[in-house]
Amino acid sequence: MHTSWAGQKVAVKVAEGGSRARDPWALYQRKALAKEAASLAALQGIPGIVPILGTVTVEAVGGGQAFAGFVMPIAEGGDVFDVMDSYLER
């Protein structure tokens, strides 16, 4: 995705289930992703941790906003498994 506000390519990680606010699986996914975003936010500034640029919300049933995901810059450098393999070969 390309943002107009940041002027860069970004990755958007969203919860499975989208805006189905009352679906138990969708609710679980949004809560798990919110915990992941909070954990990443706590680690901001540490080398190797991709920063969070913003969050994604969806209009939930009843007109409220529900957390649905987060936005981060695209990390260049290849497949994570290739990076891990090269690290382990040292």
Side-chain angles (χ1 to χ4, degrees), residues 1-63:
M1 177 177 269
H2 186 82
T3 65
S4 58
W5 52 270
Q8 63 185 359
K9 288 183 180 180
V10 295
V12 180
K13 186 167 185 177
V14 294
E16 182 180 333
S19 62
R20 297 189 314 255
R22 294 185 179 155
D23 176 25
W25 179 246
L27 179 60
Y28 169 79
Q29 290 292 313
R30 285 194 304 273
K31 285 183 177 182
L33 199 60
K35 285 182 181 180
E36 180 180 346
S39 297
L40 281 174
L43 299 172
Q44 296 300 285
I46 296 175
I49 302 295
V50 178
I52 294 177
L53 300 175
T55 58
V56 177
T57 58
V58 294
E59 187 172 330
V61 175

